[in-house]
Amino acid sequence: MPLVAAIDVRATIDFLRTPVLETIAIAAGALPIAILLGTPTAIVIARGGRAGALLRALAAFVRAIPELVLAIVFVVALGFGAVPGTLALGLSGAATIAKLYAEILESVRREPEEALRATGATATASFLVGLVPAAWPGLIGFGAYTFESIMRAAVIVGVVGAGGLGSAMITSLNLLDYGAFAWYVAALVVLVIVVDSTSGVLRARAPAWMALAAFAVVSLTGIVALTSATHDPWHAFATAPPRVLTYLARSIPPAFTPTVIGNAAWGVLETIGVAVAGTFVGALAAIPLALLVARVVASGWVRGTGYRPWSILPAFVARIVLVVARSVPPIAVALVALAFVGLGPKAGAVALAIHTAGVLGKLFAESLELVDTLPAEALVASGSTGLAAVSAGIAPGAFAAMSAHLLYRWEWNVRASTTLGIVGAGGLGQQIFNAQQLLHDRELLAYVIVAIALVLGSDRITQLARRRFELRTMER
C-alpha cells in the first residue's frame, strides 16, 4: 500500500485492523495475567521467609529471560498466533510486577500495619488498611509503566510468529512493501503514545477508582480483542501448560556441542558489543536532547534573561524526536537499519542507539529538572555564562541519577541485544532464531540458557555498581 497518495480512509482501516487488533489483544490480555500473578507473588516476597526467598529467586530468573525468547518457546510449543505472545508477555510482566511491587511494599513504613495487628485486626485487614494506601501511588505508577513496556513488547513478539504488528512488519519487508511497513510503524507509534499518555495520567496520583476502572477496561479490552483476533483462545490457554511441559521435556538435555559452544561464544561477544555501542552512542545523543527539553535549561532563565520565545521550536522538535525514538521498538528500527547498513551487529547497534537516545533523553531531562537550581542561579548572578552555570551548578547534582538511569539502560540493552539477531542484526539472537527455524529444540534450549546467564551476569554487575557508588534515581 503506498504511503503517500490519496488516502482511502476505509481501506486504510481495513488494512490495519487485524494487526492492530492482534497487538492490542496481546498487550491488553497480558496485563491482567501479569497483575493477577505478580501481585500475590509480591505480597509473599515482601512478607519474607523461605517462600518469599524462593519466589524472589524465581521472579529474578523469569525476568532474566528476554520476552522474545519466551515468545519463541511458547510459539514452538503452542503454534502461531496471539495466545503465545500473550502468555509470554504475561509471564514476563508478572515477574516484573513481583519484583517492583515487593520493593515498594518493603519500603513502606510498617507501623500502621503493626498498630492494627496489635488492636486485634486480621492480617488481611491490617495489610489492606495499614500498608496498601501508603504504597498505592507506587503500585499504580509501576503498574502503568509495566503496561507501557508490554505494549512495546507486543510488537517484538510478533516477529517470531506471535501475530500483531510485528508479524505484519516482517511480512511487508520480506515483500519489499515499504509503504505498508511505514503504515505499520505509524500505527505502532500512535498506540504507544496513547498508552504512554494514559499511563501518565494514572501516574499523576490518580484516585483508586480511576486506576481500578482503567485496569478493568484494559482487561475487558483484552478479552474482547483476543476473542475477535484468535480462534478459541481459551482452549489454547487451557492446554498451554501440558504442551509447554511436553516441549521442554523433549528439549532436555540441552545440546552443548562444540559447534553450539563456539556459536554461542561468538554470539555473546557480538551481543555485548552491540549493547556497549548502542548504550554509549545513545547516551551521547541523549545529553543534548535532554538539555533542549529540560525546562530549567531550555526556558533560558539560567542565562539571566528570563523566558526566551525562540526556545519553543527547538524544545518542541527535541520532544518529538524523543517521543518517536522511544516509541518504536529497537527491533523495528533494526529492520529499517538493515536496509542501510546491511546484515550484522551494526544494524543492532544503530537500533539500540536510537531507542536509547529517546529513553535516556527523557530520563536525563527529568533528572536535570529535579536538581536544586540555587547553585546555578548564584553562578549566573555572579556573572557566569549559562553554559558554566549548567555545567557547574546543575549537572553535578543530576550526575548520580543520570548514572543510575544509564546502568538500568545498559541492563535493558543487554536483554534487547540478545534478541536483535532474530532479524539479522547480530548477536546471540541469530543462533536462537536459527535453532527455532530448524526445530533443533535441544540446541535452542542451550542458546536460551546462555542468553539467561548473560542477562543474569549483566544484572549482577550493574547491581554491584549501583550499591558501590550509591547510584539512585531522584525524587522531588
Side-chain angles (χ1 to χ4, degrees), residues 359-385:
V359 173
L360 286 184
K362 177 178 181 291
L363 296 175
F364 284 178
E366 292 176 351
S367 299
L368 292 170
E369 291 173 351
L370 291 172
V371 173
D372 185 1
T373 59
L374 289 178
E377 292 173 356
L379 288 170
V380 171
S382 64
S384 296
T385 63

PDB file of all heavy atoms in Angstrom, residues 359-385:
ATOM      1  N   VAL A 359      14.950   7.173  25.147  1.00  0.00           N
ATOM      2  CA  VAL A 359      14.623   6.872  26.541  1.00  0.00           C
ATOM      3  C   VAL A 359      15.479   7.695  27.498  1.00  0.00           C
ATOM      4  O   VAL A 359      14.974   8.339  28.419  1.00  0.00           O
ATOM      5  CB  VAL A 359      14.811   5.366  26.816  1.00  0.00           C
ATOM      6  CG1 VAL A 359      14.629   5.072  28.302  1.00  0.00           C
ATOM      7  CG2 VAL A 359      13.809   4.555  25.996  1.00  0.00           C
ATOM      8  N   LEU A 360      16.792   7.691  27.284  1.00  0.00           N
ATOM      9  CA  LEU A 360      17.673   8.416  28.201  1.00  0.00           C
ATOM     10  C   LEU A 360      17.505   9.924  28.074  1.00  0.00           C
ATOM     11  O   LEU A 360      17.681  10.653  29.055  1.00  0.00           O
ATOM     12  CB  LEU A 360      19.133   8.030  27.931  1.00  0.00           C
ATOM     13  CG  LEU A 360      19.563   6.642  28.400  1.00  0.00           C
ATOM     14  CD1 LEU A 360      21.055   6.442  28.168  1.00  0.00           C
ATOM     15  CD2 LEU A 360      19.240   6.444  29.882  1.00  0.00           C
ATOM     16  N   GLY A 361      17.172  10.412  26.883  1.00  0.00           N
ATOM     17  CA  GLY A 361      16.937  11.845  26.741  1.00  0.00           C
ATOM     18  C   GLY A 361      15.816  12.315  27.656  1.00  0.00           C
ATOM     19  O   GLY A 361      15.928  13.360  28.320  1.00  0.00           O
ATOM     20  N   LYS A 362      14.742  11.543  27.724  1.00  0.00           N
ATOM     21  CA  LYS A 362      13.629  11.877  28.611  1.00  0.00           C
ATOM     22  C   LYS A 362      14.048  11.763  30.081  1.00  0.00           C
ATOM     23  O   LYS A 362      13.771  12.665  30.892  1.00  0.00           O
ATOM     24  CB  LYS A 362      12.453  10.949  28.337  1.00  0.00           C
ATOM     25  CG  LYS A 362      11.247  11.147  29.256  1.00  0.00           C
ATOM     26  CD  LYS A 362      10.131  10.202  28.864  1.00  0.00           C
ATOM     27  CE  LYS A 362       8.898  10.393  29.746  1.00  0.00           C
ATOM     28  NZ  LYS A 362       9.138   9.939  31.137  1.00  0.00           N
ATOM     29  N   LEU A 363      14.723  10.661  30.430  1.00  0.00           N
ATOM     30  CA  LEU A 363      15.120  10.456  31.823  1.00  0.00           C
ATOM     31  C   LEU A 363      16.176  11.467  32.270  1.00  0.00           C
ATOM     32  O   LEU A 363      16.138  11.954  33.404  1.00  0.00           O
ATOM     33  CB  LEU A 363      15.639   9.032  32.004  1.00  0.00           C
ATOM     34  CG  LEU A 363      14.620   7.914  31.778  1.00  0.00           C
ATOM     35  CD1 LEU A 363      15.283   6.548  31.859  1.00  0.00           C
ATOM     36  CD2 LEU A 363      13.467   8.011  32.776  1.00  0.00           C
ATOM     37  N   PHE A 364      17.127  11.784  31.398  1.00  0.00           N
ATOM     38  CA  PHE A 364      18.143  12.780  31.742  1.00  0.00           C
ATOM     39  C   PHE A 364      17.497  14.142  31.967  1.00  0.00           C
ATOM     40  O   PHE A 364      17.868  14.877  32.897  1.00  0.00           O
ATOM     41  CB  PHE A 364      19.186  12.893  30.630  1.00  0.00           C
ATOM     42  CG  PHE A 364      20.171  11.758  30.590  1.00  0.00           C
ATOM     43  CD1 PHE A 364      21.147  11.699  29.600  1.00  0.00           C
ATOM     44  CD2 PHE A 364      20.138  10.741  31.527  1.00  0.00           C
ATOM     45  CE1 PHE A 364      22.067  10.666  29.557  1.00  0.00           C
ATOM     46  CE2 PHE A 364      21.047   9.688  31.499  1.00  0.00           C
ATOM     47  CZ  PHE A 364      22.010   9.651  30.496  1.00  0.00           C
ATOM     48  N   ALA A 365      16.524  14.505  31.123  1.00  0.00           N
ATOM     49  CA  ALA A 365      15.844  15.787  31.282  1.00  0.00           C
ATOM     50  C   ALA A 365      15.108  15.849  32.613  1.00  0.00           C
ATOM     51  O   ALA A 365      15.147  16.867  33.326  1.00  0.00           O
ATOM     52  CB  ALA A 365      14.867  16.019  30.129  1.00  0.00           C
ATOM     53  N   GLU A 366      14.442  14.753  32.984  1.00  0.00           N
ATOM     54  CA  GLU A 366      13.743  14.718  34.267  1.00  0.00           C
ATOM     55  C   GLU A 366      14.734  14.826  35.429  1.00  0.00           C
ATOM     56  O   GLU A 366      14.448  15.486  36.439  1.00  0.00           O
ATOM     57  CB  GLU A 366      12.940  13.426  34.380  1.00  0.00           C
ATOM     58  CG  GLU A 366      11.762  13.359  33.413  1.00  0.00           C
ATOM     59  CD  GLU A 366      11.046  12.028  33.469  1.00  0.00           C
ATOM     60  OE1 GLU A 366      11.568  11.100  34.134  1.00  0.00           O
ATOM     61  OE2 GLU A 366       9.970  11.897  32.846  1.00  0.00           O
ATOM     62  N   SER A 367      15.902  14.208  35.296  1.00  0.00           N
ATOM     63  CA  SER A 367      16.916  14.303  36.346  1.00  0.00           C
ATOM     64  C   SER A 367      17.416  15.732  36.499  1.00  0.00           C
ATOM     65  O   SER A 367      17.616  16.214  37.619  1.00  0.00           O
ATOM     66  CB  SER A 367      18.089  13.357  36.020  1.00  0.00           C
ATOM     67  OG  SER A 367      17.667  12.013  35.967  1.00  0.00           O
ATOM     68  N   LEU A 368      17.621  16.413  35.386  1.00  0.00           N
ATOM     69  CA  LEU A 368      18.069  17.807  35.435  1.00  0.00           C
ATOM     70  C   LEU A 368      17.020  18.709  36.081  1.00  0.00           C
ATOM     71  O   LEU A 368      17.353  19.634  36.826  1.00  0.00           O
ATOM     72  CB  LEU A 368      18.378  18.307  34.019  1.00  0.00           C
ATOM     73  CG  LEU A 368      19.601  17.684  33.327  1.00  0.00           C
ATOM     74  CD1 LEU A 368      19.636  18.079  31.854  1.00  0.00           C
ATOM     75  CD2 LEU A 368      20.890  18.110  34.015  1.00  0.00           C
ATOM     76  N   GLU A 369      15.748  18.417  35.810  1.00  0.00           N
ATOM     77  CA  GLU A 369      14.676  19.251  36.353  1.00  0.00           C
ATOM     78  C   GLU A 369      14.487  19.058  37.854  1.00  0.00           C
ATOM     79  O   GLU A 369      13.893  19.907  38.518  1.00  0.00           O
ATOM     80  CB  GLU A 369      13.364  18.942  35.619  1.00  0.00           C
ATOM     81  CG  GLU A 369      13.367  19.414  34.171  1.00  0.00           C
ATOM     82  CD  GLU A 369      12.140  18.957  33.409  1.00  0.00           C
ATOM     83  OE1 GLU A 369      11.380  18.144  33.972  1.00  0.00           O
ATOM     84  OE2 GLU A 369      11.950  19.404  32.260  1.00  0.00           O
ATOM     85  N   LEU A 370      14.983  17.942  38.395  1.00  0.00           N
ATOM     86  CA  LEU A 370      14.825  17.670  39.823  1.00  0.00           C
ATOM     87  C   LEU A 370      15.953  18.250  40.676  1.00  0.00           C
ATOM     88  O   LEU A 370      15.898  18.184  41.896  1.00  0.00           O
ATOM     89  CB  LEU A 370      14.740  16.156  40.058  1.00  0.00           C
ATOM     90  CG  LEU A 370      13.462  15.478  39.539  1.00  0.00           C
ATOM     91  CD1 LEU A 370      13.589  13.970  39.663  1.00  0.00           C
ATOM     92  CD2 LEU A 370      12.237  15.964  40.290  1.00  0.00           C
ATOM     93  N   VAL A 371      16.955  18.826  40.040  1.00  0.00           N
ATOM     94  CA  VAL A 371      18.106  19.363  40.768  1.00  0.00           C
ATOM     95  C   VAL A 371      17.757  20.720  41.370  1.00  0.00           C
ATOM     96  O   VAL A 371      17.024  21.521  40.771  1.00  0.00           O
ATOM     97  CB  VAL A 371      19.316  19.488  39.823  1.00  0.00           C
ATOM     98  CG1 VAL A 371      20.478  20.194  40.513  1.00  0.00           C
ATOM     99  CG2 VAL A 371      19.748  18.120  39.345  1.00  0.00           C
ATOM    100  N   ASP A 372      18.290  20.991  42.544  1.00  0.00           N
ATOM    101  CA  ASP A 372      18.146  22.302  43.173  1.00  0.00           C
ATOM    102  C   ASP A 372      18.835  23.352  42.302  1.00  0.00           C
ATOM    103  O   ASP A 372      20.021  23.222  41.973  1.00  0.00           O
ATOM    104  CB  ASP A 372      18.779  22.273  44.567  1.00  0.00           C
ATOM    105  CG  ASP A 372      18.558  23.573  45.332  1.00  0.00           C
ATOM    106  OD1 ASP A 372      17.906  24.483  44.783  1.00  0.00           O
ATOM    107  OD2 ASP A 372      19.049  23.680  46.469  1.00  0.00           O
ATOM    108  N   THR A 373      18.103  24.384  41.920  1.00  0.00           N
ATOM    109  CA  THR A 373      18.641  25.369  40.979  1.00  0.00           C
ATOM    110  C   THR A 373      19.386  26.520  41.653  1.00  0.00           C
ATOM    111  O   THR A 373      19.945  27.367  40.960  1.00  0.00           O
ATOM    112  CB  THR A 373      17.500  25.968  40.139  1.00  0.00           C
ATOM    113  OG1 THR A 373      16.539  26.582  41.012  1.00  0.00           O
ATOM    114  CG2 THR A 373      16.809  24.890  39.308  1.00  0.00           C
ATOM    115  N   LEU A 374      19.413  26.563  42.966  1.00  0.00           N
ATOM    116  CA  LEU A 374      20.057  27.700  43.644  1.00  0.00           C
ATOM    117  C   LEU A 374      21.537  27.854  43.293  1.00  0.00           C
ATOM    118  O   LEU A 374      21.995  28.981  43.065  1.00  0.00           O
ATOM    119  CB  LEU A 374      19.876  27.557  45.161  1.00  0.00           C
ATOM    120  CG  LEU A 374      18.456  27.782  45.683  1.00  0.00           C
ATOM    121  CD1 LEU A 374      18.402  27.568  47.196  1.00  0.00           C
ATOM    122  CD2 LEU A 374      17.969  29.178  45.322  1.00  0.00           C
ATOM    123  N   PRO A 375      22.336  26.766  43.233  1.00  0.00           N
ATOM    124  CA  PRO A 375      23.737  26.951  42.854  1.00  0.00           C
ATOM    125  C   PRO A 375      23.894  27.570  41.461  1.00  0.00           C
ATOM    126  O   PRO A 375      24.751  28.444  41.254  1.00  0.00           O
ATOM    127  CB  PRO A 375      24.301  25.531  42.904  1.00  0.00           C
ATOM    128  CG  PRO A 375      23.426  24.808  43.868  1.00  0.00           C
ATOM    129  CD  PRO A 375      22.074  25.372  43.655  1.00  0.00           C
ATOM    130  N   ALA A 376      23.076  27.122  40.501  1.00  0.00           N
ATOM    131  CA  ALA A 376      23.167  27.678  39.148  1.00  0.00           C
ATOM    132  C   ALA A 376      22.752  29.143  39.138  1.00  0.00           C
ATOM    133  O   ALA A 376      23.366  29.980  38.455  1.00  0.00           O
ATOM    134  CB  ALA A 376      22.299  26.874  38.193  1.00  0.00           C
ATOM    135  N   GLU A 377      21.715  29.477  39.895  1.00  0.00           N
ATOM    136  CA  GLU A 377      21.278  30.875  39.964  1.00  0.00           C
ATOM    137  C   GLU A 377      22.352  31.759  40.575  1.00  0.00           C
ATOM    138  O   GLU A 377      22.561  32.908  40.149  1.00  0.00           O
ATOM    139  CB  GLU A 377      19.984  30.959  40.769  1.00  0.00           C
ATOM    140  CG  GLU A 377      18.794  30.305  40.082  1.00  0.00           C
ATOM    141  CD  GLU A 377      17.571  30.253  40.984  1.00  0.00           C
ATOM    142  OE1 GLU A 377      17.685  30.650  42.150  1.00  0.00           O
ATOM    143  OE2 GLU A 377      16.506  29.813  40.517  1.00  0.00           O
ATOM    144  N   ALA A 378      23.055  31.228  41.575  1.00  0.00           N
ATOM    145  CA  ALA A 378      24.131  32.002  42.193  1.00  0.00           C
ATOM    146  C   ALA A 378      25.265  32.241  41.207  1.00  0.00           C
ATOM    147  O   ALA A 378      25.854  33.337  41.174  1.00  0.00           O
ATOM    148  CB  ALA A 378      24.651  31.251  43.429  1.00  0.00           C
ATOM    149  N   LEU A 379      25.570  31.235  40.398  1.00  0.00           N
ATOM    150  CA  LEU A 379      26.625  31.404  39.400  1.00  0.00           C
ATOM    151  C   LEU A 379      26.246  32.445  38.353  1.00  0.00           C
ATOM    152  O   LEU A 379      27.074  33.257  37.938  1.00  0.00           O
ATOM    153  CB  LEU A 379      26.917  30.062  38.722  1.00  0.00           C
ATOM    154  CG  LEU A 379      27.644  29.026  39.586  1.00  0.00           C
ATOM    155  CD1 LEU A 379      27.661  27.670  38.891  1.00  0.00           C
ATOM    156  CD2 LEU A 379      29.074  29.486  39.873  1.00  0.00           C
ATOM    157  N   VAL A 380      24.980  32.418  37.913  1.00  0.00           N
ATOM    158  CA  VAL A 380      24.520  33.416  36.948  1.00  0.00           C
ATOM    159  C   VAL A 380      24.596  34.815  37.547  1.00  0.00           C
ATOM    160  O   VAL A 380      25.035  35.779  36.905  1.00  0.00           O
ATOM    161  CB  VAL A 380      23.084  33.098  36.481  1.00  0.00           C
ATOM    162  CG1 VAL A 380      22.517  34.247  35.658  1.00  0.00           C
ATOM    163  CG2 VAL A 380      23.058  31.806  35.681  1.00  0.00           C
ATOM    164  N   ALA A 381      24.190  34.939  38.810  1.00  0.00           N
ATOM    165  CA  ALA A 381      24.213  36.240  39.478  1.00  0.00           C
ATOM    166  C   ALA A 381      25.629  36.785  39.630  1.00  0.00           C
ATOM    167  O   ALA A 381      25.840  37.998  39.644  1.00  0.00           O
ATOM    168  CB  ALA A 381      23.543  36.123  40.848  1.00  0.00           C
ATOM    169  N   SER A 382      26.601  35.867  39.707  1.00  0.00           N
ATOM    170  CA  SER A 382      27.988  36.313  39.866  1.00  0.00           C
ATOM    171  C   SER A 382      28.669  36.579  38.538  1.00  0.00           C
ATOM    172  O   SER A 382      29.864  36.892  38.514  1.00  0.00           O
ATOM    173  CB  SER A 382      28.782  35.262  40.648  1.00  0.00           C
ATOM    174  OG  SER A 382      28.854  34.046  39.910  1.00  0.00           O
ATOM    175  N   GLY A 383      27.927  36.435  37.437  1.00  0.00           N
ATOM    176  CA  GLY A 383      28.469  36.769  36.125  1.00  0.00           C
ATOM    177  C   GLY A 383      28.854  35.589  35.262  1.00  0.00           C
ATOM    178  O   GLY A 383      29.389  35.784  34.170  1.00  0.00           O
ATOM    179  N   SER A 384      28.610  34.354  35.703  1.00  0.00           N
ATOM    180  CA  SER A 384      28.960  33.183  34.905  1.00  0.00           C
ATOM    181  C   SER A 384      28.053  33.080  33.680  1.00  0.00           C
ATOM    182  O   SER A 384      26.913  33.555  33.678  1.00  0.00           O
ATOM    183  CB  SER A 384      28.827  31.908  35.749  1.00  0.00           C
ATOM    184  OG  SER A 384      29.737  31.911  36.813  1.00  0.00           O
ATOM    185  N   THR A 385      28.549  32.413  32.660  1.00  0.00           N
ATOM    186  CA  THR A 385      27.738  32.177  31.468  1.00  0.00           C
ATOM    187  C   THR A 385      26.719  31.073  31.748  1.00  0.00           C
ATOM    188  O   THR A 385      26.827  30.329  32.726  1.00  0.00           O
ATOM    189  CB  THR A 385      28.623  31.751  30.285  1.00  0.00           C
ATOM    190  OG1 THR A 385      29.252  30.498  30.610  1.00  0.00           O
ATOM    191  CG2 THR A 385      29.693  32.799  30.000  1.00  0.00           C
TER     192      THR A 385
END
